Amino acid sequence: AIRYPGIDAVGHYYLRYAMPRAFGDVSDQERNKYGRVLEQYYTYVDGIVGRAMASMRPDDLLLVVSGFGMEPLSFGKRMLERLAGDSQLSGTHEGAPDGFLIAYGRDVAKGSFQRASVVDVAPTVLYFLGLPVARDMDGFARTDIFAPAFTERRPITFIPYYDK
């Protein structure tokens, strides 16, 4: 597992320049200078994901997961942040869109699937690796993301719990 915390940080501090109308106090100079930072960072991470996809072996699985979305801070919260000393903070997760789960690999079903949660990641990875899923785990093994040929040859198994 590789975590890229930069997307979160860039979103918190550069959302205002990517969505200047939502803030009303972004100058043209700021928009021109910083308006594409968030988009450029997504392009950078997209390149990393693309290279990971290109280097995959036939039995590999790539999961790209975001636990939450980002939305502009409300005017009141922006004022509070200014008073608290962080006047540049512009994005928040409160009320933001849900995150996402994207799966890629030979054994992944084509198309889209029902909404998943970050708590589904660990049980799904255990299932993919042929390991039992602990019944005390939050989340579910998302067998629906895999092609029928994969799930037919890999039944889901369970254990009560994993020792700590």
Side-chain angles (χ1 to χ4, degrees):
I2 300 172
R3 182 172 183 262
Y4 295 98
I7 285 182
D8 187 52
V10 171
H12 280 293
Y13 289 96
Y14 288 89
L15 187 64
R16 68 182 299 104
Y17 308 112
M19 303 174 66
R21 282 188 221 119
F23 295 90
D25 63 348
V26 177
S27 70
D28 286 342
Q29 182 182 9
E30 290 173 315
R31 186 181 49 75
N32 289 334
K33 188 172 183 178
Y34 304 116
R36 295 198 56 234
V37 169
L38 188 57
E39 177 186 339
Q40 289 169 337
Y41 198 84
Y42 272 99
T43 299
Y44 165 73
V45 173
D46 185 61
I48 294 170
V49 171
R51 287 187 294 281
M53 291 169 67
S55 70
M56 289 176 64
R57 296 178 308 243
D59 291 333
D60 287 346
L61 172 67
L62 176 65
L63 297 177
V64 179
V65 182
S66 172
F68 40 78
M70 183 80 62
E71 73 170 1
L73 266 172
S74 67
F75 177 76
K77 296 229 176 180
R78 288 197 312 267
M79 293 301 107
L80 285 174
E81 289 298 334
R82 284 186 180 165
L83 291 172
D86 199 354
S87 63
Q88 297 304 307
L89 190 67
S90 63
T92 183
H93 305 298
E94 293 178 30
D98 291 335
F100 60 83
L101 171 70
I102 299 171
Y104 179 78
R106 179 184 68 186
D107 295 316
V108 173
K110 304 291 183 243
S112 61
F113 47 90
Q114 295 296 322
R115 180 183 292 183
S117 170
V118 294
V119 297
D120 297 333
V121 173
T124 301
V125 170
L126 289 169
Y127 167 75
F128 175 76
L129 295 173
L131 298 169
V133 176
R135 291 199 183 273
D136 69 339
M137 295 180 84
D138 291 332
F140 302 95
R142 296 303 305 265
T143 59
D144 59 318
I145 71 171
F146 298 103
F150 182 82
T151 57
E152 286 170 12
R153 69 179 186 270
R154 171 130 340 136
I156 189 167
T157 58
F158 296 95
I159 58 173
Y161 56 88
Y162 281 97
D163 286 334
K164 295 186 181 355

mmCIF file of all heavy atoms in Angstrom, residues 4-48:
data_model
loop_
_atom_site.group_PDB
_atom_site.id
_atom_site.type_symbol
_atom_site.label_atom_id
_atom_site.label_comp_id
_atom_site.label_asym_id
_atom_site.label_seq_id
_atom_site.Cartn_x
_atom_site.Cartn_y
_atom_site.Cartn_z
ATOM 1 N N TYR A 4 -0.630 8.620 -0.701
ATOM 2 C CA TYR A 4 -0.223 9.904 -1.252
ATOM 3 C C TYR A 4 -0.979 11.019 -0.537
ATOM 4 O O TYR A 4 -2.028 11.458 -0.990
ATOM 5 C CB TYR A 4 -0.475 9.958 -2.760
ATOM 6 C CG TYR A 4 0.375 8.979 -3.512
ATOM 7 C CD1 TYR A 4 -0.124 7.751 -3.907
ATOM 8 C CD2 TYR A 4 1.700 9.273 -3.784
ATOM 9 C CE1 TYR A 4 0.680 6.833 -4.571
ATOM 10 C CE2 TYR A 4 2.510 8.368 -4.444
ATOM 11 C CZ TYR A 4 1.980 7.155 -4.829
ATOM 12 O OH TYR A 4 2.779 6.260 -5.477
ATOM 13 N N PRO A 5 -0.457 11.494 0.602
ATOM 14 C CA PRO A 5 -1.168 12.520 1.374
ATOM 15 C C PRO A 5 -1.163 13.895 0.718
ATOM 16 O O PRO A 5 -1.891 14.786 1.132
ATOM 17 C CB PRO A 5 -0.418 12.550 2.708
ATOM 18 C CG PRO A 5 0.964 12.106 2.362
ATOM 19 C CD PRO A 5 0.796 11.098 1.238
ATOM 20 N N GLY A 6 -0.373 14.057 -0.318
ATOM 21 C CA GLY A 6 -0.280 15.358 -0.972
ATOM 22 C C GLY A 6 -1.587 15.833 -1.560
ATOM 23 O O GLY A 6 -1.879 17.034 -1.547
ATOM 24 N N ILE A 7 -2.404 14.927 -2.076
ATOM 25 C CA ILE A 7 -3.685 15.340 -2.664
ATOM 26 C C ILE A 7 -4.537 16.032 -1.614
ATOM 27 O O ILE A 7 -5.169 17.048 -1.882
ATOM 28 C CB ILE A 7 -4.421 14.139 -3.294
ATOM 29 C CG1 ILE A 7 -3.749 13.773 -4.604
ATOM 30 C CG2 ILE A 7 -5.892 14.441 -3.501
ATOM 31 C CD1 ILE A 7 -4.399 12.653 -5.349
ATOM 32 N N ASP A 8 -4.556 15.490 -0.410
ATOM 33 C CA ASP A 8 -5.340 16.093 0.663
ATOM 34 C C ASP A 8 -4.804 17.481 0.994
ATOM 35 O O ASP A 8 -5.559 18.455 1.072
ATOM 36 C CB ASP A 8 -5.321 15.186 1.894
ATOM 37 C CG ASP A 8 -6.260 15.663 2.980
ATOM 38 O OD1 ASP A 8 -7.449 15.894 2.677
ATOM 39 O OD2 ASP A 8 -5.799 15.803 4.125
ATOM 40 N N ALA A 9 -3.508 17.595 1.176
ATOM 41 C CA ALA A 9 -2.909 18.889 1.520
ATOM 42 C C ALA A 9 -3.123 19.913 0.411
ATOM 43 O O ALA A 9 -3.504 21.064 0.673
ATOM 44 C CB ALA A 9 -1.413 18.710 1.804
ATOM 45 N N VAL A 10 -2.899 19.514 -0.819
ATOM 46 C CA VAL A 10 -3.078 20.435 -1.945
ATOM 47 C C VAL A 10 -4.546 20.856 -2.045
ATOM 48 O O VAL A 10 -4.854 22.029 -2.278
ATOM 49 C CB VAL A 10 -2.566 19.804 -3.264
ATOM 50 C CG1 VAL A 10 -2.948 20.647 -4.465
ATOM 51 C CG2 VAL A 10 -1.054 19.637 -3.209
ATOM 52 N N GLY A 11 -5.460 19.910 -1.831
ATOM 53 C CA GLY A 11 -6.881 20.255 -1.867
ATOM 54 C C GLY A 11 -7.262 21.257 -0.799
ATOM 55 O O GLY A 11 -8.011 22.212 -1.056
ATOM 56 N N HIS A 12 -6.752 21.075 0.412
ATOM 57 C CA HIS A 12 -7.078 21.992 1.510
ATOM 58 C C HIS A 12 -6.597 23.420 1.233
ATOM 59 O O HIS A 12 -7.255 24.374 1.621
ATOM 60 C CB HIS A 12 -6.459 21.513 2.828
ATOM 61 C CG HIS A 12 -7.231 20.423 3.494
ATOM 62 N ND1 HIS A 12 -8.489 20.609 4.020
ATOM 63 C CD2 HIS A 12 -6.922 19.131 3.726
ATOM 64 C CE1 HIS A 12 -8.921 19.487 4.554
ATOM 65 N NE2 HIS A 12 -7.982 18.562 4.377
ATOM 66 N N TYR A 13 -5.464 23.546 0.572
ATOM 67 C CA TYR A 13 -4.873 24.877 0.411
ATOM 68 C C TYR A 13 -4.999 25.492 -0.985
ATOM 69 O O TYR A 13 -4.804 26.695 -1.127
ATOM 70 C CB TYR A 13 -3.405 24.852 0.854
ATOM 71 C CG TYR A 13 -3.323 24.717 2.350
ATOM 72 C CD1 TYR A 13 -3.137 23.470 2.932
ATOM 73 C CD2 TYR A 13 -3.515 25.819 3.172
ATOM 74 C CE1 TYR A 13 -3.108 23.338 4.314
ATOM 75 C CE2 TYR A 13 -3.495 25.692 4.544
ATOM 76 C CZ TYR A 13 -3.297 24.444 5.117
ATOM 77 O OH TYR A 13 -3.289 24.320 6.476
ATOM 78 N N TYR A 14 -5.340 24.707 -2.000
ATOM 79 C CA TYR A 14 -5.420 25.272 -3.355
ATOM 80 C C TYR A 14 -6.805 25.174 -3.973
ATOM 81 O O TYR A 14 -7.008 25.603 -5.102
ATOM 82 C CB TYR A 14 -4.377 24.611 -4.272
ATOM 83 C CG TYR A 14 -2.982 25.056 -3.932
ATOM 84 C CD1 TYR A 14 -2.229 24.380 -2.987
ATOM 85 C CD2 TYR A 14 -2.437 26.186 -4.517
ATOM 86 C CE1 TYR A 14 -0.957 24.804 -2.642
ATOM 87 C CE2 TYR A 14 -1.166 26.624 -4.192
ATOM 88 C CZ TYR A 14 -0.439 25.925 -3.246
ATOM 89 O OH TYR A 14 0.816 26.363 -2.906
ATOM 90 N N LEU A 15 -7.775 24.639 -3.238
ATOM 91 C CA LEU A 15 -9.141 24.558 -3.766
ATOM 92 C C LEU A 15 -9.677 25.949 -4.092
ATOM 93 O O LEU A 15 -10.359 26.124 -5.093
ATOM 94 C CB LEU A 15 -10.054 23.844 -2.757
ATOM 95 C CG LEU A 15 -11.465 23.545 -3.246
ATOM 96 C CD1 LEU A 15 -11.406 22.560 -4.421
ATOM 97 C CD2 LEU A 15 -12.311 22.981 -2.123
ATOM 98 N N ARG A 16 -9.347 26.923 -3.282
ATOM 99 C CA ARG A 16 -9.846 28.292 -3.495
ATOM 100 C C ARG A 16 -9.435 28.832 -4.874
ATOM 101 O O ARG A 16 -10.173 29.587 -5.494
ATOM 102 C CB ARG A 16 -9.373 29.230 -2.382
ATOM 103 C CG ARG A 16 -7.883 29.493 -2.372
ATOM 104 C CD ARG A 16 -7.412 30.411 -1.221
ATOM 105 N NE ARG A 16 -7.994 31.723 -1.260
ATOM 106 C CZ ARG A 16 -8.986 32.150 -0.464
ATOM 107 N NH1 ARG A 16 -9.504 31.365 0.433
ATOM 108 N NH2 ARG A 16 -9.455 33.361 -0.588
ATOM 109 N N TYR A 17 -8.269 28.455 -5.347
ATOM 110 C CA TYR A 17 -7.792 28.949 -6.635
ATOM 111 C C TYR A 17 -8.363 28.136 -7.804
ATOM 112 O O TYR A 17 -8.496 28.648 -8.903
ATOM 113 C CB TYR A 17 -6.266 28.928 -6.675
ATOM 114 C CG TYR A 17 -5.666 29.632 -5.484
ATOM 115 C CD1 TYR A 17 -4.974 28.921 -4.517
ATOM 116 C CD2 TYR A 17 -5.828 31.003 -5.310
ATOM 117 C CE1 TYR A 17 -4.436 29.559 -3.402
ATOM 118 C CE2 TYR A 17 -5.303 31.651 -4.199
ATOM 119 C CZ TYR A 17 -4.617 30.921 -3.246
ATOM 120 O OH TYR A 17 -4.109 31.557 -2.153
ATOM 121 N N ALA A 18 -8.697 26.877 -7.539
ATOM 122 C CA ALA A 18 -9.309 26.037 -8.569
ATOM 123 C C ALA A 18 -10.796 26.361 -8.734
ATOM 124 O O ALA A 18 -11.366 26.139 -9.787
ATOM 125 C CB ALA A 18 -9.132 24.557 -8.214
ATOM 126 N N MET A 19 -11.421 26.881 -7.658
ATOM 127 C CA MET A 19 -12.848 27.224 -7.661
ATOM 128 C C MET A 19 -13.044 28.649 -7.140
ATOM 129 O O MET A 19 -13.709 28.855 -6.121
ATOM 130 C CB MET A 19 -13.619 26.242 -6.768
ATOM 131 C CG MET A 19 -13.477 24.799 -7.127
ATOM 132 S SD MET A 19 -14.274 23.718 -5.907
ATOM 133 C CE MET A 19 -15.987 24.149 -6.132
ATOM 134 N N PRO A 20 -12.493 29.643 -7.796
ATOM 135 C CA PRO A 20 -12.506 30.998 -7.237
ATOM 136 C C PRO A 20 -13.905 31.572 -7.011
ATOM 137 O O PRO A 20 -14.104 32.356 -6.083
ATOM 138 C CB PRO A 20 -11.716 31.821 -8.257
ATOM 139 C CG PRO A 20 -11.754 31.037 -9.518
ATOM 140 C CD PRO A 20 -11.844 29.598 -9.111
ATOM 141 N N ARG A 21 -14.886 31.182 -7.805
ATOM 142 C CA ARG A 21 -16.242 31.729 -7.639
ATOM 143 C C ARG A 21 -16.862 31.327 -6.308
ATOM 144 O O ARG A 21 -17.720 32.018 -5.784
ATOM 145 C CB ARG A 21 -17.141 31.292 -8.793
ATOM 146 C CG ARG A 21 -16.882 32.093 -10.053
ATOM 147 C CD ARG A 21 -17.899 31.801 -11.133
ATOM 148 N NE ARG A 21 -17.163 31.721 -12.387
ATOM 149 C CZ ARG A 21 -17.106 30.669 -13.156
ATOM 150 N NH1 ARG A 21 -17.778 29.589 -12.876
ATOM 151 N NH2 ARG A 21 -16.399 30.681 -14.258
ATOM 152 N N ALA A 22 -16.427 30.191 -5.760
ATOM 153 C CA ALA A 22 -16.964 29.722 -4.483
ATOM 154 C C ALA A 22 -16.441 30.540 -3.313
ATOM 155 O O ALA A 22 -16.975 30.448 -2.210
ATOM 156 C CB ALA A 22 -16.627 28.244 -4.288
ATOM 157 N N PHE A 23 -15.419 31.359 -3.550
ATOM 158 C CA PHE A 23 -14.791 32.108 -2.465
ATOM 159 C C PHE A 23 -14.988 33.611 -2.595
ATOM 160 O O PHE A 23 -15.098 34.311 -1.606
ATOM 161 C CB PHE A 23 -13.303 31.764 -2.373
ATOM 162 C CG PHE A 23 -13.091 30.328 -1.994
ATOM 163 C CD1 PHE A 23 -12.989 29.340 -2.962
ATOM 164 C CD2 PHE A 23 -13.036 29.962 -0.665
ATOM 165 C CE1 PHE A 23 -12.826 28.018 -2.617
ATOM 166 C CE2 PHE A 23 -12.885 28.638 -0.299
ATOM 167 C CZ PHE A 23 -12.775 27.659 -1.276
ATOM 168 N N GLY A 24 -14.990 34.125 -3.803
ATOM 169 C CA GLY A 24 -15.263 35.537 -4.025
ATOM 170 C C GLY A 24 -14.132 36.495 -3.736
ATOM 171 O O GLY A 24 -14.229 37.671 -4.056
ATOM 172 N N ASP A 25 -13.058 36.026 -3.104
ATOM 173 C CA ASP A 25 -11.966 36.944 -2.761
ATOM 174 C C ASP A 25 -10.637 36.534 -3.394
ATOM 175 O O ASP A 25 -9.582 36.907 -2.914
ATOM 176 C CB ASP A 25 -11.822 37.052 -1.245
ATOM 177 C CG ASP A 25 -11.449 35.729 -0.579
ATOM 178 O OD1 ASP A 25 -11.513 34.678 -1.250
ATOM 179 O OD2 ASP A 25 -11.101 35.746 0.614
ATOM 180 N N VAL A 26 -10.702 35.785 -4.493
ATOM 181 C CA VAL A 26 -9.494 35.349 -5.193
ATOM 182 C C VAL A 26 -9.228 36.337 -6.325
ATOM 183 O O VAL A 26 -10.075 36.533 -7.195
ATOM 184 C CB VAL A 26 -9.653 33.909 -5.745
ATOM 185 C CG1 VAL A 26 -8.414 33.489 -6.524
ATOM 186 C CG2 VAL A 26 -9.961 32.933 -4.621
ATOM 187 N N SER A 27 -8.071 36.938 -6.297
ATOM 188 C CA SER A 27 -7.740 37.914 -7.338
ATOM 189 C C SER A 27 -7.396 37.196 -8.645
ATOM 190 O O SER A 27 -7.045 36.015 -8.645
ATOM 191 C CB SER A 27 -6.555 38.778 -6.899
ATOM 192 O OG SER A 27 -5.360 38.012 -6.888
ATOM 193 N N ASP A 28 -7.472 37.925 -9.736
ATOM 194 C CA ASP A 28 -7.081 37.364 -11.035
ATOM 195 C C ASP A 28 -5.620 36.932 -11.013
ATOM 196 O O ASP A 28 -5.260 35.912 -11.585
ATOM 197 C CB ASP A 28 -7.299 38.379 -12.160
ATOM 198 C CG ASP A 28 -8.770 38.553 -12.505
ATOM 199 O OD1 ASP A 28 -9.575 37.668 -12.130
ATOM 200 O OD2 ASP A 28 -9.108 39.566 -13.146
ATOM 201 N N GLN A 29 -4.781 37.717 -10.336
ATOM 202 C CA GLN A 29 -3.362 37.374 -10.236
ATOM 203 C C GLN A 29 -3.182 36.042 -9.499
ATOM 204 O O GLN A 29 -2.412 35.185 -9.931
ATOM 205 C CB GLN A 29 -2.599 38.487 -9.523
ATOM 206 C CG GLN A 29 -1.114 38.218 -9.417
ATOM 207 C CD GLN A 29 -0.387 39.326 -8.652
ATOM 208 O OE1 GLN A 29 -0.998 40.210 -8.069
ATOM 209 N NE2 GLN A 29 0.935 39.246 -8.668
ATOM 210 N N GLU A 30 -3.898 35.843 -8.394
ATOM 211 C CA GLU A 30 -3.816 34.579 -7.647
ATOM 212 C C GLU A 30 -4.347 33.417 -8.486
ATOM 213 O O GLU A 30 -3.752 32.340 -8.524
ATOM 214 C CB GLU A 30 -4.619 34.661 -6.347
ATOM 215 C CG GLU A 30 -4.025 35.554 -5.300
ATOM 216 C CD GLU A 30 -4.956 35.723 -4.122
ATOM 217 O OE1 GLU A 30 -6.179 35.945 -4.333
ATOM 218 O OE2 GLU A 30 -4.458 35.632 -2.986
ATOM 219 N N ARG A 31 -5.467 33.662 -9.147
ATOM 220 C CA ARG A 31 -6.057 32.609 -9.986
ATOM 221 C C ARG A 31 -5.101 32.211 -11.101
ATOM 222 O O ARG A 31 -4.898 31.022 -11.366
ATOM 223 C CB ARG A 31 -7.393 33.077 -10.570
ATOM 224 C CG ARG A 31 -8.137 31.995 -11.336
ATOM 225 C CD ARG A 31 -9.441 32.508 -11.922
ATOM 226 N NE ARG A 31 -9.313 33.762 -12.654
ATOM 227 C CZ ARG A 31 -8.793 33.899 -13.870
ATOM 228 N NH1 ARG A 31 -8.311 32.848 -14.508
ATOM 229 N NH2 ARG A 31 -8.733 35.067 -14.464
ATOM 230 N N ASN A 32 -4.480 33.186 -11.740
ATOM 231 C CA ASN A 32 -3.528 32.880 -12.808
ATOM 232 C C ASN A 32 -2.298 32.146 -12.285
ATOM 233 O O ASN A 32 -1.746 31.272 -12.955
ATOM 234 C CB ASN A 32 -3.110 34.157 -13.538
ATOM 235 C CG ASN A 32 -4.221 34.732 -14.383
ATOM 236 O OD1 ASN A 32 -5.114 34.005 -14.826
ATOM 237 N ND2 ASN A 32 -4.209 36.037 -14.579
ATOM 238 N N LYS A 33 -1.859 32.509 -11.096
ATOM 239 C CA LYS A 33 -0.648 31.916 -10.535
ATOM 240 C C LYS A 33 -0.900 30.515 -9.955
ATOM 241 O O LYS A 33 -0.082 29.610 -10.121
ATOM 242 C CB LYS A 33 -0.080 32.826 -9.452
ATOM 243 C CG LYS A 33 1.270 32.399 -8.931
ATOM 244 C CD LYS A 33 1.853 33.460 -8.009
ATOM 245 C CE LYS A 33 3.238 33.068 -7.551
ATOM 246 N NZ LYS A 33 3.840 34.092 -6.692
ATOM 247 N N TYR A 34 -2.031 30.328 -9.262
ATOM 248 C CA TYR A 34 -2.270 29.079 -8.524
ATOM 249 C C TYR A 34 -3.471 28.268 -9.013
ATOM 250 O O TYR A 34 -3.717 27.181 -8.500
ATOM 251 C CB TYR A 34 -2.505 29.391 -7.043
ATOM 252 C CG TYR A 34 -1.398 30.155 -6.391
ATOM 253 C CD1 TYR A 34 -1.618 31.443 -5.901
ATOM 254 C CD2 TYR A 34 -0.130 29.592 -6.248
ATOM 255 C CE1 TYR A 34 -0.603 32.153 -5.277
ATOM 256 C CE2 TYR A 34 0.893 30.295 -5.627
ATOM 257 C CZ TYR A 34 0.645 31.578 -5.150
ATOM 258 O OH TYR A 34 1.657 32.270 -4.536
ATOM 259 N N GLY A 35 -4.201 28.781 -9.978
ATOM 260 C CA GLY A 35 -5.460 28.157 -10.405
ATOM 261 C C GLY A 35 -5.351 26.736 -10.920
ATOM 262 O O GLY A 35 -6.306 25.970 -10.858
ATOM 263 N N ARG A 36 -4.181 26.350 -11.410
ATOM 264 C CA ARG A 36 -4.028 25.008 -11.972
ATOM 265 C C ARG A 36 -3.230 24.067 -11.064
ATOM 266 O O ARG A 36 -2.976 22.921 -11.432
ATOM 267 C CB ARG A 36 -3.355 25.095 -13.348
ATOM 268 C CG ARG A 36 -4.259 25.846 -14.346
ATOM 269 C CD ARG A 36 -3.910 25.615 -15.799
ATOM 270 N NE ARG A 36 -3.927 24.209 -16.137
ATOM 271 C CZ ARG A 36 -2.898 23.566 -16.707
ATOM 272 N NH1 ARG A 36 -1.795 24.194 -17.012
ATOM 273 N NH2 ARG A 36 -2.993 22.291 -16.993
ATOM 274 N N VAL A 37 -2.849 24.515 -9.870
ATOM 275 C CA VAL A 37 -2.030 23.694 -8.975
ATOM 276 C C VAL A 37 -2.733 22.376 -8.638
ATOM 277 O O VAL A 37 -2.136 21.301 -8.741
ATOM 278 C CB VAL A 37 -1.645 24.459 -7.690
ATOM 279 C CG1 VAL A 37 -1.029 23.530 -6.656
ATOM 280 C CG2 VAL A 37 -0.700 25.599 -8.021
ATOM 281 N N LEU A 38 -3.993 22.444 -8.258
ATOM 282 C CA LEU A 38 -4.735 21.233 -7.891
ATOM 283 C C LEU A 38 -4.849 20.284 -9.088
ATOM 284 O O LEU A 38 -4.571 19.091 -8.977
ATOM 285 C CB LEU A 38 -6.114 21.610 -7.354
ATOM 286 C CG LEU A 38 -6.956 20.506 -6.746
ATOM 287 C CD1 LEU A 38 -6.239 19.811 -5.605
ATOM 288 C CD2 LEU A 38 -8.288 21.084 -6.258
ATOM 289 N N GLU A 39 -5.210 20.825 -10.231
ATOM 290 C CA GLU A 39 -5.303 20.010 -11.451
ATOM 291 C C GLU A 39 -3.948 19.398 -11.807
ATOM 292 O O GLU A 39 -3.858 18.224 -12.178
ATOM 293 C CB GLU A 39 -5.800 20.874 -12.613
ATOM 294 C CG GLU A 39 -5.861 20.156 -13.936
ATOM 295 C CD GLU A 39 -6.216 21.103 -15.080
ATOM 296 O OE1 GLU A 39 -6.777 22.181 -14.831
ATOM 297 O OE2 GLU A 39 -5.909 20.736 -16.232
ATOM 298 N N GLN A 40 -2.888 20.156 -11.683
ATOM 299 C CA GLN A 40 -1.557 19.648 -11.993
ATOM 300 C C GLN A 40 -1.131 18.545 -11.028
ATOM 301 O O GLN A 40 -0.475 17.590 -11.418
ATOM 302 C CB GLN A 40 -0.535 20.789 -12.002
ATOM 303 C CG GLN A 40 -0.702 21.702 -13.191
ATOM 304 C CD GLN A 40 0.124 22.975 -13.077
ATOM 305 O OE1 GLN A 40 0.497 23.406 -11.991
ATOM 306 N NE2 GLN A 40 0.392 23.590 -14.220
ATOM 307 N N TYR A 41 -1.544 18.671 -9.763
ATOM 308 C CA TYR A 41 -1.194 17.628 -8.802
ATOM 309 C C TYR A 41 -1.960 16.341 -9.124
ATOM 310 O O TYR A 41 -1.399 15.247 -9.045
ATOM 311 C CB TYR A 41 -1.451 18.078 -7.361
ATOM 312 C CG TYR A 41 -0.710 17.199 -6.387
ATOM 313 C CD1 TYR A 41 0.620 17.452 -6.093
ATOM 314 C CD2 TYR A 41 -1.308 16.086 -5.821
ATOM 315 C CE1 TYR A 41 1.332 16.630 -5.239
ATOM 316 C CE2 TYR A 41 -0.604 15.259 -4.961
ATOM 317 C CZ TYR A 41 0.709 15.528 -4.674
ATOM 318 O OH TYR A 41 1.406 14.714 -3.841
ATOM 319 N N TYR A 42 -3.230 16.476 -9.492
ATOM 320 C CA TYR A 42 -3.985 15.294 -9.914
ATOM 321 C C TYR A 42 -3.343 14.657 -11.144
ATOM 322 O O TYR A 42 -3.285 13.439 -11.268
ATOM 323 C CB TYR A 42 -5.449 15.634 -10.196
ATOM 324 C CG TYR A 42 -6.312 15.541 -8.960
ATOM 325 C CD1 TYR A 42 -6.647 16.668 -8.236
ATOM 326 C CD2 TYR A 42 -6.795 14.311 -8.521
ATOM 327 C CE1 TYR A 42 -7.441 16.575 -7.102
ATOM 328 C CE2 TYR A 42 -7.584 14.208 -7.393
ATOM 329 C CZ TYR A 42 -7.904 15.348 -6.689
ATOM 330 O OH TYR A 42 -8.679 15.252 -5.566
ATOM 331 N N THR A 43 -2.852 15.459 -12.066
ATOM 332 C CA THR A 43 -2.167 14.939 -13.247
ATOM 333 C C THR A 43 -0.909 14.181 -12.838
ATOM 334 O O THR A 43 -0.611 13.106 -13.377
ATOM 335 C CB THR A 43 -1.822 16.092 -14.214
ATOM 336 O OG1 THR A 43 -3.045 16.717 -14.622
ATOM 337 C CG2 THR A 43 -1.069 15.591 -15.436
ATOM 338 N N TYR A 44 -0.166 14.710 -11.873
ATOM 339 C CA TYR A 44 1.033 14.052 -11.363
ATOM 340 C C TYR A 44 0.686 12.682 -10.769
ATOM 341 O O TYR A 44 1.317 11.676 -11.088
ATOM 342 C CB TYR A 44 1.688 14.963 -10.323
ATOM 343 C CG TYR A 44 2.725 14.288 -9.469
ATOM 344 C CD1 TYR A 44 3.972 13.939 -9.991
ATOM 345 C CD2 TYR A 44 2.462 13.997 -8.132
ATOM 346 C CE1 TYR A 44 4.926 13.321 -9.193
ATOM 347 C CE2 TYR A 44 3.411 13.386 -7.333
ATOM 348 C CZ TYR A 44 4.638 13.034 -7.867
ATOM 349 O OH TYR A 44 5.567 12.423 -7.088
ATOM 350 N N VAL A 45 -0.330 12.634 -9.902
ATOM 351 C CA VAL A 45 -0.729 11.367 -9.287
ATOM 352 C C VAL A 45 -1.295 10.417 -10.339
ATOM 353 O O VAL A 45 -1.052 9.205 -10.296
ATOM 354 C CB VAL A 45 -1.717 11.600 -8.126
ATOM 355 C CG1 VAL A 45 -2.270 10.286 -7.591
ATOM 356 C CG2 VAL A 45 -1.039 12.379 -7.011
ATOM 357 N N ASP A 46 -2.008 10.948 -11.326
ATOM 358 C CA ASP A 46 -2.513 10.118 -12.418
ATOM 359 C C ASP A 46 -1.356 9.437 -13.150
ATOM 360 O O ASP A 46 -1.460 8.272 -13.537
ATOM 361 C CB ASP A 46 -3.337 10.968 -13.383
ATOM 362 C CG ASP A 46 -3.982 10.147 -14.466
ATOM 363 O OD1 ASP A 46 -4.797 9.256 -14.134
ATOM 364 O OD2 ASP A 46 -3.661 10.372 -15.648
ATOM 365 N N GLY A 47 -0.256 10.138 -13.322
ATOM 366 C CA GLY A 47 0.928 9.539 -13.942
ATOM 367 C C GLY A 47 1.490 8.406 -13.105
ATOM 368 O O GLY A 47 1.906 7.369 -13.633
ATOM 369 N N ILE A 48 1.494 8.571 -11.785
ATOM 370 C CA ILE A 48 1.957 7.508 -10.890
ATOM 371 C C ILE A 48 1.059 6.283 -11.025
ATOM 372 O O ILE A 48 1.543 5.153 -11.137
ATOM 373 C CB ILE A 48 1.985 8.002 -9.427
ATOM 374 C CG1 ILE A 48 3.042 9.089 -9.253
ATOM 375 C CG2 ILE A 48 2.220 6.842 -8.464
ATOM 376 C CD1 ILE A 48 2.967 9.804 -7.916
#
